[in-house]
């Protein structure tokens, strides 16, 4: 016991209190993000300890301030290839090391935030190589006078447009499109196609998933998960639908080819058009898939 007490006494004799004067300015690209007072972060000035929880909170704040999501290369409505953009995030290991160094220095100082580059999933070179060969397509029809349903079809179509499915990768409709909420612009669709089950907000999404199913099935992918509606739907032939719901069924498939697949989806008037592209090197065995009915389906009000 005496040895422990002696050790503590000797330790305190050699510990110097932290100089709490002067702030630490945390900057990124020559712009100050936050000015931190040492006294706000110190847990025990005599023991030279930093409050780890406050440092974690500061690190999270800085990461949010500097984070920039990468942007994939894509093809716009004019069929022009738009280059990718790199993203950035806080290098937490370097930041922590630098912060400790600056914290135990004296007076006012500036810490330049270290960041890591986040590379996009799809770059221009890749996209250029897989946009050349159309390997499949499918078209379904809808009444574009139904504004709510048309809006939902537009949004879901945009969500899957330009998506690249790499070899061996599994595509999930729900994961790519995300939850269909009013915050994202999805609307209730009280006027529904006869026989189709309504999702409420987001009604009409199943036409997009069903059109995609037929397009990729024609391209010879491996269908992993697909469910039909409990009743016949009029926008695709019998048993050619793929119902989806955020809290229920999903539509998934696996790209079993040796080349990436590019999904191009667009709405033109009352047509939903989905094309599947890949590189010239791809080898596929196309399936014979019946086309969708071109006659607009009857609609009824279903509240």
């Amino acid at each position: 016991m005496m040895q422990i007490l002696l050790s503590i006494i000797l330790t305190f004799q050699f510990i110097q209190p932290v100089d709490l004067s002067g702030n630490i300015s945390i900057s990124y690209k020559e712009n100050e993000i936050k000015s931190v007072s040492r006294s706000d972060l110190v847990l025990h000035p005599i023991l030279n300890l930093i409050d780890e929880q406050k440092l974690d909170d500061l690190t999270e704040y800085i990461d949010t301030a500097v984070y920039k999501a990468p942007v994939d290369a894509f093809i716009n409505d004019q069929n022009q290839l738009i280059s990718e953009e790199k993203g950035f995030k806080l290098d937490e290991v370097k930041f922590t090391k630098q912060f400790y160094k600056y914290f135990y220095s004296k007076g006012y100082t500036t810490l330049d935030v270290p960041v890591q580059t986040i590379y996009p999933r799809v770059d221009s070179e890749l996209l250029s190589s897989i946009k050349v060969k159309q390997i499949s397509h499918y078209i379904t029809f809808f009444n574009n006078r139904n504004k709510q349903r048309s809006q939902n079809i537009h949004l879901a179509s945009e969500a899957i447009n330009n998506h690249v499915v790499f070899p061996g990768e599994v595509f999930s409709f729900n994961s790519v499109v995300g939850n269909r909420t009013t915050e994202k612009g999805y609307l209730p669709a009280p006027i529904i196609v006869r026989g189709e089950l309504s999702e409420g907000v987001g009604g009409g999404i199943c036409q997009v998933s069903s059109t995609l199913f037929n397009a990729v099935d024609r391209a010879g992918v491996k269908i992993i998960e697909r469910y039909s509606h409990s009743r016949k739907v009029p926008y695709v032939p019998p048993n050619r639908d793929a119902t989806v719901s955020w809290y229920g069924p999903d539509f998934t498939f696996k790209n079993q080819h040796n080349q990436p697949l590019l999904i191009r989806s667009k709405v033109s008037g009352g047509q939903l058009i989905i094309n599947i592209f890949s590189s010239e090197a791809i080898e596929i065995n196309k399936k014979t898939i019946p086309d969708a009915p071109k006659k607009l389906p009857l609609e009824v009000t279903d509240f």
Side-chain angles (χ1 to χ4, degrees):
M1 178 65 71
M2 289 299 296
Q3 288 181 337
I4 296 175
L5 291 175
L6 180 60
S7 176
I8 294 174
I9 292 170
L10 290 173
T11 300
F12 271 93
Q13 286 180 342
F14 290 101
I15 291 177
Q16 297 297 323
V18 176
D19 181 359
L20 300 179
S21 64
N23 288 2
I24 302 174
S25 175
I26 302 174
S27 300
Y28 180 59
K29 293 184 178 180
E30 300 182 352
N31 294 316
E32 184 177 80
I33 300 173
K34 191 173 184 64
S35 180
V36 179
S37 170
R38 289 178 173 86
S39 61
D40 289 339
L41 289 177
V42 71
L43 181 65
H44 197 300
I46 302 300
L47 297 179
N48 296 349
L49 296 178
I50 293 177
D51 189 320
E52 293 295 333
Q53 183 58 57
K54 289 184 178 180
L55 179 56
D56 287 345
D57 293 341
L58 175 64
T59 301
E60 184 177 347
Y61 176 87
I62 300 301
D63 184 39
T64 302
V66 303
Y67 179 79
K68 178 187 176 185
V71 179
D72 287 342
F74 67 96
I75 301 170
N76 66 13
D77 293 339
Q78 289 72 47
N79 209 33
Q80 299 170 319
L81 195 156
I82 307 301
S83 296
E84 70 280 4
E85 296 179 15
K86 295 178 182 177
F88 300 96
K89 66 177 181 179
L90 176 67
D91 188 324
E92 294 189 14
V93 174
K94 288 184 177 179
F95 175 76
T96 302
K97 289 180 178 178
Q98 290 182 18
F99 188 84
Y100 269 92
K101 176 183 176 182
Y102 283 87
F103 185 84
Y104 291 113
S105 63
K106 294 182 179 181
Y108 180 87
T109 186
T110 299
L111 190 163
D112 293 320
V113 175
V115 296
Q116 291 178 318
T117 301
I118 310 173
Y119 292 96
R121 185 173 175 271
V122 178
D123 59 26
S124 301
E125 182 179 1
L126 172 66
L127 199 56
S128 295
S129 69
I130 63 172
K131 72 181 184 68
V132 292
K133 184 177 181 179
Q134 179 179 308
I135 62 172
S136 178
H137 78 283
Y138 204 80
I139 302 173
T140 60
F141 302 85
F142 64 94
N143 184 355
N144 62 355
R145 293 189 298 274
N146 184 334
K147 299 304 180 183
Q148 291 95 332
R149 194 169 184 277
S150 297
Q151 166 81 350
N152 296 335
I153 290 173
H154 269 275
L155 290 175
S157 172
E158 290 175 0
I160 65 172
N161 185 38
N162 281 302
H163 190 85
V164 173
V165 188
F166 290 90
E169 184 179 12
V170 174
F171 173 96
S172 162
F173 187 90
N174 280 342
S175 295
V176 173
V177 176
N179 194 3
R180 281 71 83 178
T181 63
T182 54
E183 290 77 15
K184 292 181 179 180
Y186 288 96
L187 301 174
I191 298 179
I192 65 172
V193 179
R194 183 185 298 274
E196 180 186 355
L197 299 179
S198 174
E199 286 187 59
V201 173
I205 302 302
C206 291
Q207 181 157 351
V208 181
S209 57
S210 296
T211 308
L212 178 63
F213 159 58
N214 284 279
V216 296
D217 195 30
R218 181 175 275 172
V221 303
K222 182 179 181 180
I223 305 300
I224 304 294
E225 184 180 4
R226 178 187 73 89
Y227 303 93
S228 289
H229 292 79
S230 59
R231 291 174 286 178
K232 178 183 175 182
V233 295
Y235 46 75
V236 289
N239 199 37
R240 297 303 308 173
D241 59 319
T243 183
V244 291
S245 177
W246 181 247
Y247 294 107
D250 193 5
F251 167 58
T252 66
F253 67 88
K254 182 177 182 179
N255 176 13
Q256 57 189 4
H257 301 302
N258 63 346
Q259 299 294 321
L261 302 178
L262 169 64
I263 300 170
R264 296 282 286 138
S265 180
K266 69 175 182 178
V267 173
S268 178
Q271 298 180 85
L272 172 60
I273 306 166
I274 296 182
N275 295 303
I276 309 299
F277 290 86
S278 190
S279 74
E280 292 287 359
I282 194 170
E283 296 180 2
I284 65 168
N285 293 317
K286 285 188 178 181
K287 291 179 64 175
T288 301
I289 303 297
D291 291 335
K294 294 184 179 179
K295 183 180 179 181
L296 285 179
L298 297 175
E299 294 184 339
V300 296
T301 301
D302 185 359
F303 292 97

